[in-house]
Amino acid sequence: MIEVAAIKKGTVIDHIAAGQGLWIFNKLNLGQLGHPVVLLMNVPSKRLGKKDIIKIENYTDVDTAMLGLIGSSITVNIIENEHVVDKVPVFIPDEVRGLFSCGNPRCVTNSDAYVIPLFHLHDARSLAYVCEYCEEITKVAWK
Amino acid sequence: MIDLRGRHLISPSDLDLREISSIMSLAQSMQQNLSSYASLCRGKILATLFYEPSTRTKLSFESAMLRMGGNILGFSDASTSAVSKGESIADTIRVLDSYADIVVMRHPKEGAPKLAAQYSRVPLINGGDGGHQHPTQTLTDLLTIHMYLGRTSHLKVAFCGDLKYGRTVHSLIETLARYPGATFYLISPEELRLPPRLKEHLEQHSDCALIECRRMEEALPAVDILYMTRIQKERFFNEADYLRLKNSYVLDSDKLAQAKAKMLVMHPLPRVNEIAYEIDSDPRAVYFKQAELGVYARMSLMAHLLGVDGL
């Protein structure tokens, strides 16, 4: 198996469902951070069968709201001196700002580009959110 | 008079039932003694920002302000304003709120008045946003119901026509559901049913009963109010769908014969062909009186939001 060295300081996003790692990498703009980043794909996992992992060196300010929307299996570990010093909980956020667009084509947020879409959780099971502006429901579908 | 000074009205839920009652009470007083209020808004200016065509709402707002001694400015066609040069809603409001004391806005985009209110330093009223909400039509409807039936609770109301895009329906049904004992008959083609989110909201947050019907005749004998709506051409992306659905429901004298003797026929207007002209002379047809009462409802609302009573 390919060996990747442990990072001394930074963040490890673990237990990403296999296939979603590259998508998260792009959505979080990790390529633009300027820090060393490693994306591992299809790593054997006891819990998931196969998983993806992202390691980011010298950076800990990861958008956990977005990760919560992607999957509850994801774990975010903060690393100091090669040890896990904190596990940041990932949960489905009650409020989401700017991460996705309103599904209602008549909503003002889809025509006025300066408006940041804002949503409130409607149903956690179906990842359904209500738009602050038009009050229509948008279901988050990442893939 | 309850103090609503400085507040915006974007959705009927911005007002609690006590506040609605205060607006109704003043509106009734205004209707009975109009001349007493002729100077209530002297020196005040209403800005009417209509990004979408309107006859009744715009003119009734203007009439309401003029009847209270105030002045009006604004536009009724976005193509004749800076909007046509690409000005954003936010910038338009930031400028206009220094020209006026209160603003009413109609916009085809849903949520536009809510966005505008975030930038407005003066009270902003939603005059209808797309297929979303139309709170001042709801105040007009409640005033009409109260004046003819003497109550707004324990009502059986049939909503007929475009329940999907009908903003007047959305605002009114959400508000009537806050009063006890409401039963709603929902009569619409399959494609124009009440939005699922709104239906779910009514089921979870009120004690109202919802009965879905395909034919008007199923509801007519039982209801206190028949609220007719127009199938709105401007809400369809596809003209073929509009043409297929536009004649779904027409109220004529044969159908009205099945209704209670004191049932009200209401309509937010304009109508196209969903109410036959023969109905206009029936005492149950109150839609033109409803349009008249809209002036008093809007007078009272603006007096509340401006914090003027002066009596």
Side-chain angles (χ1 to χ4, degrees):
Chain A
M1 189 175 135
I2 304 168
E3 292 287 331
V4 176
I7 56 173
K8 283 193 174 158
K9 183 183 175 188
T11 307
V12 175
I13 307 172
D14 202 354
H15 299 108
I16 302 168
Q20 289 192 335
L22 183 59
W23 191 86
I24 292 174
F25 182 93
N26 289 327
K27 206 71 187 168
L28 292 178
N29 275 328
L30 297 181
Q32 310 299 315
L33 279 182
H35 297 290
V37 183
V38 176
L39 166 62
L40 296 160
M41 299 176 75
N42 299 316
V43 177
S45 163
K46 281 182 189 164
R47 203 199 298 177
L48 301 174
K50 280 194 290 186
K51 66 178 180 179
D52 293 352
I53 303 171
I54 296 173
K55 297 184 176 190
I56 315 162
E57 198 159 55
N58 298 322
Y59 184 80
T60 56
D61 192 18
V62 171
D63 185 348
T64 51
M66 172 175 283
L67 295 175
L69 287 174
I70 292 167
S72 56
S73 68
I74 292 174
T75 54
V76 177
N77 300 317
I78 306 299
I79 311 295
E80 292 273 0
N81 297 321
E82 296 188 7
H83 292 289
V84 176
V85 294
D86 194 11
K87 285 183 179 288
V88 181
V90 169
F91 51 85
I92 296 168
D94 288 336
E95 195 176 288
V96 178
R97 190 182 290 270
L99 289 183
F100 52 87
S101 306
C102 181
N104 174 10
R106 297 176 303 278
C107 179
V108 69
T109 60
N110 286 318
S111 59
D112 285 48
Y114 60 94
V115 190
I116 299 171
L118 173 63
F119 299 91
H120 306 284
L121 184 62
H122 176 72
D123 179 39
R125 261 195 327 180
S126 60
L127 278 186
Y129 280 84
V130 178
C131 174
E132 165 75 3
Y133 292 92
C134 72
E135 299 183 292
E136 287 291 322
I137 290 173
T138 294
K139 288 188 178 175
V140 182
W142 293 112
K143 296 293 285 181
Chain B
M1 189 168 104
I2 283 182
D3 186 8
L4 299 178
R5 191 179 344 197
R7 295 251 300 264
H8 303 301
L9 178 62
I10 306 305
S11 156
S13 60
D14 293 339
L15 298 169
D16 64 30
L17 296 186
R18 208 171 49 100
E19 291 165 343
I20 290 175
S21 174
S22 176
I23 293 168
M24 295 297 103
S25 173
L26 180 60
Q28 279 182 286
S29 173
M30 287 169 154
Q31 191 222 2
Q32 286 155 13
N33 200 357
L34 188 57
S35 60
S36 301
Y37 298 89
S39 301
L40 193 60
C41 287
R42 183 174 291 162
K44 301 290 184 190
I45 298 175
L46 164 71
T48 56
L49 312 186
F50 279 69
Y51 293 76
E52 193 180 60
S54 164
T55 304
R56 260 150 305 277
T57 304
K58 182 172 184 295
L59 294 182
S60 68
F61 262 108
E62 291 179 353
S63 170
M65 183 49 92
L66 293 170
R67 284 192 183 284
M68 293 191 290
N71 290 296
I72 52 171
L73 55 81
F75 58 81
S76 54
D77 179 357
S79 67
T80 62
S81 74
V83 174
S84 63
K85 299 174 187 166
E87 185 172 60
S88 69
I89 291 170
D91 285 359
T92 302
I93 292 296
R94 278 192 278 219
V95 171
L96 276 173
D97 70 3
S98 58
Y99 298 169
D101 302 289
I102 190 165
V103 174
V104 57
M105 173 195 250
R106 169 168 290 187
H107 202 286
K109 291 293 177 183
E110 295 166 12
K114 180 148 203 163
L115 172 67
Q118 291 170 356
Y119 294 93
S120 179
R121 292 170 298 172
V122 300
L124 188 138
I125 300 167
N126 179 2
D129 58 329
H132 184 213
Q133 294 282 354
H134 196 344
T136 65
Q137 182 64 46
T138 296
L139 294 176
T140 299
D141 297 341
L142 290 176
L143 183 62
T144 307
I145 293 168
H146 189 75
M147 289 186 74
Y148 279 93
L149 299 180
R151 69 184 201 278
T152 41
S153 60
H154 302 284
L155 289 171
K156 293 181 176 174
V157 185
F159 290 94
C160 181
D162 178 1
L163 310 190
K164 182 178 181 181
Y165 300 116
R167 57 194 173 198
T168 58
V169 170
H170 302 164
S171 290
L172 181 58
I173 199 167
E174 229 179 292
T175 308
L176 284 176
R178 291 154 69 190
Y179 294 93
T183 302
F184 301 124
Y185 294 77
L186 308 174
I187 311 162
S188 70
E190 185 71 25
E191 297 90 334
L192 296 176
R193 288 166 72 171
L194 202 67
R197 178 202 59 80
L198 179 52
K199 204 173 152 206
E200 197 180 309
H201 175 84
L202 294 171
E203 285 165 346
Q204 288 176 358
H205 297 98
S206 78
D207 70 350
C208 74
L210 296 174
I211 300 165
E212 291 192 281
C213 312
R214 296 305 299 271
R215 296 174 62 243
M216 210 188 277
E217 293 86 334
E218 294 169 42
L220 272 176
V223 298
D224 304 305
I225 298 165
L226 172 62
Y227 196 94
M228 294 294 292
T229 62
R230 171 175 67 96
I231 307 291
Q232 302 172 90
K233 188 177 183 180
E234 64 274 27
R235 305 282 171 240
F236 285 85
F237 289 122
N238 179 344
E239 174 134 11
D241 286 343
Y242 166 71
L243 293 173
R244 184 168 52 82
L245 295 169
K246 69 173 186 168
N247 295 321
S248 297
Y249 298 101
V250 177
L251 179 66
D252 56 24
S253 51
D254 287 345
K255 291 197 184 86
L256 192 59
Q258 300 171 44
K260 289 180 187 174
K262 293 205 166 174
M263 185 193 81
L264 302 183
V265 181
M266 296 177 67
H267 193 303
L269 302 178
R271 75 170 146 184
V272 182
N273 61 346
E274 58 278 2
I275 299 178
Y277 281 84
E278 68 202 29
I279 303 295
D280 295 355
S281 55
D282 191 294
R284 290 169 286 190
V286 298
Y287 30 89
F288 292 116
K289 188 70 180 174
Q290 190 183 346
E292 179 198 325
L293 292 173
V295 175
Y296 308 115
R298 290 172 176 118
M299 282 173 71
S300 174
L301 172 66
M302 287 193 286
H304 276 78
L305 300 184
L306 287 167
V308 291
D309 62 35
L311 296 175

